[in-house]
Amino acid sequence: MISTFFGLEIARRALFVNRSLIDITSHNVANANTEGYSRQEGLVTTTPPISLPSIGILGTGARLSYIRRVRSEFLDIQYRDENRIKSYWDELKNSLEEIEYILGEPTDNGLSSTLNSFWNSWQELSINPESMSVRGSLKERAQTLISFLAHLRNELVLQREQLDKDLEIQVNTVNDIAVQIGALNEEIKRAYIRGQSPNDLLDKRDLLLDKLSELVNFDVTINEVGEAIVNIRDHLLVGINNMVYKMSVSDGRILWEDGPDVYLGNEQGKLSSIIYIRDTVIGIANDSGYEYETGYIGVIDRLTSVIYERVNELHRSGYGLDNSTGIDFFSLVDTGKGIVATNVKINDLILEDLNKIASASVLDAPGDGSNALKIAKISEEFLIDGSFTLEDYWRNQISMLGIISQRASLISNNQKSLVDAINSKREEISGVSIDEEVINMIKYQQAFSAASRILTTLDEMLSTLIERTGVVGR
Amino acid sequence: MRVTFNTIANNVLRNLSNNLTNLEKLQSQLSSGKKIIKPSDDPISTSRLMELKSTLNNNKQYSRNIDFLKTELNLADRVLQNISSTLTRAKELAVRGASDSLSQEDRYAIAKELDQLIDHLVQLGNTNISGRYIFGGYKTTKAPLERIDDVVLYRGDNNVRSAEISNNVLIDASPTGKSLFVDSKMFDTLISLKNALLDGNITQINNVVGKIDVISDEVSSELSSLGARLSRIELTSDLMSDRITKYTDLLSKQEDIEIEEVVLKLYAQQNIYQASLIAASRALQPSLINYLG
């Protein structure tokens, strides 16, 4: 036997279920543009039926059993894998482009042209060794060459410092994200233990993991209480019970707070890209001068020191208009430091008296420009590894830069398309469609109205029963 | 496939930004006039471009060297011709002075003219281009010849200057005063002629006439060697200006945009961009809500 008021209960359930569904719709619409949000749907199930002896099974209405987010974890993994590579090449592409602009080739005011003008000034001197104006213009060109080399070096050093700052910022971002994930883990765990799915918190955590994938390569596993355990190679970043390991930058290296180096891997995320650009492309600025080639700073230092040594060597063996000999053309600003562009100047003796520029190969020979010609011919000597002229060497460096920069730009574009495609797949599954939500809203509204109508009808039926029955015979 | 508003919005945004990037690239090409702005635009062309530019600059320098040498050698050529005609005049004077019919007064007069010729030759030997003495060998800053009474001193040296007129091709500049005046004993001979005239020593005068011929021959041979050098320079000069034209042309092909082509592409790209804007405005139309009562 069922209760008189049983119908009211079913209607109440219907009202509750449909109002909740409207609330979910409303939440979806509100978050249609929230980053990382995945649409939610309510799972409505029938409530346990009642068995009526000799009649059958009577339904008892519906209930909202679960609210879940619609999301594909597989796409999350794919997204993070590709995004990591994309952000590596993105960063590389941008930095390389900046370096290309710094080096300024192939414009008319690049190093190649400046160097060329310098050698041509010596040529000019070789046919005009007596001319003070030619000597004057040679001095200017030499000065231009030195300051251009110094400018290039300074810009590269500046870029390097900028990257160091960047690295610091990005490492802090990783720490921030780790802390936030740790905190979210705690909240999520509490919901999990209650058997609920904390959809919005999960979305937030997934968004943080997406952001983290821009920076480093990591593995993430979700344990049975819903905590995300994040590992970078075999070191924990976020462990259970909100245990977070931070990293810091020390001497340009990224270290875990408990000591070891953070493993970044190759071509994985922004951090490894910054380090690659800084150490391999730009190189280390060593004030003691060129030793071995580290990046473009090394290239500039190598060019500077070869020009410095060779021009001086030939210059010392020549004679000036005043018969001076054994004089260096270039000298160091600070003799405590090595031959680097920022530490090179034209010898003071020459600046004071341009007659001392040694254009002649013999004594008492103002018309002899053969030593100047020898110096001009340095441009044709195979001074780099015995097989390249200075210009060949520079040209090779520039075309190498062009090639890697072009490659970076290509891969970054491809990777962007890939990430975009994965993103639109994600959007396809998890995105909020306003049309869909509006249709749902109408559906739920109709159901709600109908349930209200049922309630009214039941109410009328009961009031008939209560107020009108038993009136007969009164 | 489930399409949401964001799917469309993202697509539209991506397409617009791609189209705008292409547009920007063409516009920057058009405004700079250059195909290659940074090495990654075309690494191989960049390398060739740099090589072409430096070859072009070197050739321009050679061209300047050629002009410089040409000026000097042309001047030297004129001076040598002048020397040659001066010697001819000296010979004429010698032949006249050897004549028995002349009085000693006449010979004095001839000696006086000869003296002036010697001064003239010294002057020629001291020819300079804005203070640069061309017959002094390496010693270009002071006059190579100095006459003190009946002695002409050479203060230059025996080094022939030269200039590079194309890669590793060195061409000698003017001959030195040593080979012109000292080795040929030009002044000694003329001064002895003058003294013979003053002394009226006809045997000696006749003796000198033959010597002047030898000296003239030497000057002529210097002249022809100068002429040979000049024509060689002329050839190289033509070659060099051909090369400069060729390289400038090549450089422009490598480096400069074809304006018509880029403008055309720019128009096409502008149309594409506008079309994508229109498409965007359609695609981003409001949703179902606008049509519900």
Side-chain angles (χ1 to χ4, degrees):
Chain A
M1 194 55 210
I2 53 168
S3 143
T4 315
F5 300 111
F6 179 64
L8 284 178
E9 176 60 17
I10 299 181
R12 187 196 67 79
R13 285 177 184 171
L15 285 176
F16 176 76
V17 162
N18 284 298
R19 222 209 52 220
S20 299
L21 288 172
I22 290 267
D23 286 344
I24 294 170
T25 305
S26 172
H27 186 57
N28 278 343
V29 171
N31 286 297
N33 292 314
T34 304
E35 197 187 1
Y37 179 78
S38 23
R39 82 187 149 102
Q40 295 178 8
E41 57 184 24
L43 215 68
V44 179
T45 49
T46 50
T47 40
I50 302 171
S51 168
L52 296 178
S54 78
I55 298 174
I57 309 273
L58 182 64
T60 60
R63 74 182 179 98
L64 188 61
S65 61
Y66 203 71
I67 303 172
R68 62 166 193 189
R69 54 178 195 151
V70 185
R71 193 175 179 105
S72 153
E73 268 164 36
F74 173 68
L75 284 177
D76 285 345
I77 294 167
Q78 250 191 342
Y79 175 85
R80 286 168 200 155
D81 279 348
E82 301 304 339
N83 193 40
R84 187 167 75 214
I85 299 170
K86 169 184 173 272
S87 76
Y88 173 85
W89 290 100
D90 258 1
E91 177 74 21
L92 202 63
K93 175 190 129 185
N94 292 338
S95 297
L96 287 171
E97 239 167 49
E98 263 175 69
I99 293 169
E100 284 183 273
Y101 284 123
I102 289 173
L103 298 184
E105 297 290 359
T107 59
D108 291 334
N109 10 2
L111 179 59
S112 177
S113 304
T114 312
L115 200 55
N116 204 261
S117 299
F118 175 68
W119 301 127
N120 280 340
S121 292
W122 286 101
Q123 269 277 1
E124 192 80 35
L125 183 66
S126 80
I127 54 170
N128 260 317
E130 315 87 342
S131 159
M132 284 323 255
S133 68
V134 170
R135 280 165 190 264
S137 94
L138 166 64
K139 182 200 80 182
E140 291 306 323
R141 296 249 177 102
Q143 210 108 43
T144 309
L145 176 65
I146 297 171
S147 46
F148 194 77
L149 284 166
H151 161 79
L152 289 181
R153 195 174 194 276
N154 281 336
E155 288 287 318
L156 289 170
V157 170
L158 218 65
Q159 180 89 352
R160 193 184 156 86
E161 285 166 2
Q162 189 57 51
L163 288 171
D164 272 332
K165 277 187 208 142
D166 262 14
L167 195 65
E168 196 98 37
I169 293 170
Q170 305 297 0
V171 163
N172 285 337
T173 311
V174 172
N175 290 337
D176 264 7
I177 291 177
V179 168
Q180 290 184 55
I181 290 176
L184 281 169
N185 272 348
E186 287 298 295
E187 289 186 58
I188 289 169
K189 185 165 67 179
R190 279 199 292 276
Y192 258 64
I193 290 168
R194 285 198 303 270
Q196 291 167 335
S197 165
N199 297 320
D200 296 330
L201 299 178
L202 290 173
D203 280 347
K204 268 190 201 161
R205 193 174 66 187
D206 278 327
L207 185 64
L208 286 171
L209 290 169
D210 283 355
K211 292 237 148 66
L212 190 60
S213 75
E214 264 174 39
L215 303 169
V216 284
N217 182 14
F218 61 87
D219 295 314
V220 58
T221 46
I222 311 287
N223 66 11
E224 64 280 4
V225 286
E227 288 171 305
I229 313 297
V230 184
N231 269 296
I232 293 180
R233 197 111 190 258
D234 32 27
H235 196 290
L236 272 180
L237 179 68
V238 183
I240 54 166
N241 297 328
N242 199 5
M243 183 163 32
V244 172
Y245 288 89
K246 293 192 181 177
M247 41 178 90
S248 62
V249 183
S250 149
D251 272 341
R253 282 158 64 204
I254 309 177
L255 303 176
W256 288 108
E257 60 185 352
D258 56 346
D261 277 281
V262 174
Y263 178 82
L264 297 173
N266 286 327
E267 307 181 359
Q268 312 277 2
K270 221 176 229 172
L271 292 187
S272 74
S273 156
I274 291 175
I275 288 188
Y276 174 77
I277 294 265
R278 189 192 65 184
D279 294 347
T280 311
V281 179
I282 293 180
I284 296 156
N286 183 351
D287 276 345
S288 61
Y290 173 78
E291 279 167 47
Y292 50 90
E293 215 164 274
T294 53
Y296 283 93
I297 292 181
V299 170
I300 301 287
D301 285 351
R302 186 170 192 185
L303 283 170
T304 309
S305 80
V306 171
I307 295 168
Y308 182 98
E309 304 270 15
R310 187 68 184 138
V311 168
N312 274 355
E313 184 186 348
L314 290 176
H315 194 267
R316 278 197 301 271
S317 68
Y319 295 86
L321 286 179
D322 58 355
N323 282 334
S324 57
T325 186
I327 292 177
D328 280 334
F329 185 78
F330 294 117
S331 65
L332 296 177
V333 179
D334 175 355
T335 45
K337 291 182 188 159
I339 306 169
V340 292
T342 41
N343 191 33
V344 170
K345 59 174 182 177
I346 298 176
N347 193 345
D348 289 334
L349 289 173
I350 286 170
L351 285 179
E352 282 158 19
D353 182 5
L354 295 179
N355 283 314
K356 291 198 158 47
I357 297 177
S359 49
S361 305
V362 290
L363 207 60
D364 270 332
D368 179 16
S370 54
N371 200 50
L373 185 62
K374 255 191 236 161
I375 295 178
K377 289 293 191 180
I378 292 176
S379 67
E380 289 168 23
E381 291 179 17
F382 297 123
L383 291 172
I384 305 287
D385 304 333
S387 46
F388 295 106
T389 67
L390 293 167
E391 230 188 290
D392 288 342
Y393 173 66
W394 178 244
R395 223 175 21 240
N396 290 347
Q397 294 295 338
I398 292 295
S399 69
M400 232 132 79
L401 175 66
I403 287 166
I404 55 170
S405 172
Q406 194 185 39
R407 176 155 169 260
S409 151
L410 257 162
I411 298 182
S412 132
N413 280 345
N414 287 349
Q415 212 54 37
K416 185 176 182 304
S417 312
L418 202 56
V419 169
D420 279 347
I422 296 171
N423 238 346
S424 57
K425 255 194 197 161
R426 282 224 276 198
E427 180 65 29
E428 189 184 326
I429 292 171
S430 305
V432 175
S433 157
I434 299 288
D435 294 342
E436 203 176 83
E437 299 303 329
V438 169
I439 288 169
N440 283 343
M441 185 184 78
I442 296 168
K443 257 164 53 185
Y444 303 146
Q445 190 193 9
Q446 298 287 2
F448 187 86
S449 303
S452 308
R453 175 64 60 197
I454 290 171
L455 196 63
T456 320
T457 309
L458 278 174
D459 183 40
E460 274 174 24
M461 283 161 66
L462 288 175
S463 94
T464 307
L465 187 69
I466 295 165
E467 289 171 19
R468 303 251 181 100
T469 46
V471 181
V472 167
R474 217 195 276 178
Chain B
M1 175 174 167
R2 202 173 156 269
V3 178
T4 72
F5 184 79
N6 279 338
T7 314
I8 297 170
N10 287 343
N11 271 334
V12 165
L13 197 65
R14 189 167 53 243
N15 290 333
L16 282 181
S17 107
N18 282 347
N19 286 335
L20 205 59
T21 310
N22 290 340
L23 200 62
E24 191 270 339
K25 210 172 210 170
L26 288 169
Q27 259 159 357
S28 93
Q29 275 193 357
L30 202 62
S31 59
S32 68
K34 306 268 185 243
K35 265 189 243 176
I36 298 167
I37 292 157
K38 50 188 193 329
S40 57
D41 292 340
D42 187 344
I44 313 241
S45 289
T46 300
S47 170
R48 268 190 59 72
L49 207 64
M50 290 166 74
E51 201 169 359
L52 274 174
K53 269 188 190 167
S54 104
T55 314
L56 187 63
N57 280 339
N58 290 343
N59 284 335
K60 282 182 179 160
Q61 181 61 45
Y62 287 138
S63 197
R64 272 202 295 281
N65 291 5
I66 287 171
D67 286 345
F68 186 84
L69 195 59
K70 215 153 67 173
T71 314
E72 181 180 330
L73 289 186
N74 275 325
L75 181 64
D77 188 68
R78 278 205 306 281
V79 170
L80 255 55
Q81 274 171 24
N82 203 328
I83 289 175
S84 176
S85 54
T86 308
L87 287 174
T88 314
R89 178 67 186 152
K91 190 187 157 194
E92 279 167 25
L93 291 178
V95 172
R96 192 134 58 90
S99 157
D100 290 337
S101 57
L102 282 185
S103 69
Q104 190 55 32
E105 271 73 42
D106 291 338
R107 287 208 183 87
Y108 281 151
I110 292 170
K112 206 168 175 193
E113 193 187 335
L114 188 66
D115 199 65
Q116 270 161 18
L117 289 184
I118 294 171
D119 276 345
H120 181 58
L121 284 172
V122 168
Q123 221 172 51
L124 287 175
N126 287 338
T127 300
N128 65 76
I129 304 172
S130 48
R132 185 170 195 263
Y133 294 91
I134 64 175
F135 296 115
Y138 279 174
K139 300 206 157 92
T140 47
T141 46
K142 45 185 187 257
L145 296 177
E146 189 187 351
R147 181 171 179 192
I148 302 164
D149 298 328
D150 275 351
V151 186
V152 176
L153 294 172
Y154 176 63
R155 303 197 186 278
D157 60 23
N158 199 19
N159 293 308
V160 183
R161 285 171 295 110
S162 57
E164 197 180 27
I165 60 163
S166 101
N167 200 10
N168 291 325
V169 179
L170 283 161
I171 294 279
D172 286 351
S174 315
T176 63
K178 177 149 193 309
S179 68
L180 274 176
F181 306 113
V182 181
D183 294 347
S184 66
K185 295 197 166 65
M186 188 187 289
F187 290 110
D188 293 348
T189 312
L190 293 179
I191 283 164
S192 74
L193 174 60
K194 190 191 103 181
N195 289 334
L197 282 165
L198 290 175
D199 295 347
N201 184 343
I202 291 168
T203 348
Q204 179 62 18
I205 295 172
N206 277 328
N207 211 354
V208 172
V209 173
K211 282 188 187 165
I212 292 180
D213 280 337
V214 176
I215 298 169
S216 281
D217 284 351
E218 273 171 40
V219 172
S220 303
S221 92
E222 279 292 358
L223 254 174
S224 61
S225 127
L226 243 177
R229 263 180 281 162
L230 265 170
S231 62
R232 193 161 163 209
I233 291 172
E234 209 62 60
L235 270 174
T236 318
S237 169
D238 290 347
L239 199 75
M240 210 47 82
S241 48
D242 278 357
R243 240 187 247 175
I244 289 173
T245 322
K246 198 183 89 194
Y247 282 126
T248 310
D249 193 42
L250 266 173
L251 193 64
S252 153
K253 272 189 193 135
Q254 288 270 336
E255 181 181 43
D256 298 340
I257 52 159
E258 308 240 0
I259 301 221
E260 302 83 350
E261 197 187 313
V262 175
V263 168
L264 225 67
K265 276 190 192 160
L266 188 70
Y267 275 132
Q269 195 56 49
Q270 260 167 353
N271 285 335
I272 292 172
Y273 183 60
Q274 257 152 22
S276 62
L277 281 176
I278 294 168
S281 74
R282 293 278 151 79
L284 298 179
Q285 291 276 339
S287 67
L288 187 58
I289 314 169
N290 302 63
Y291 301 96
L292 293 174

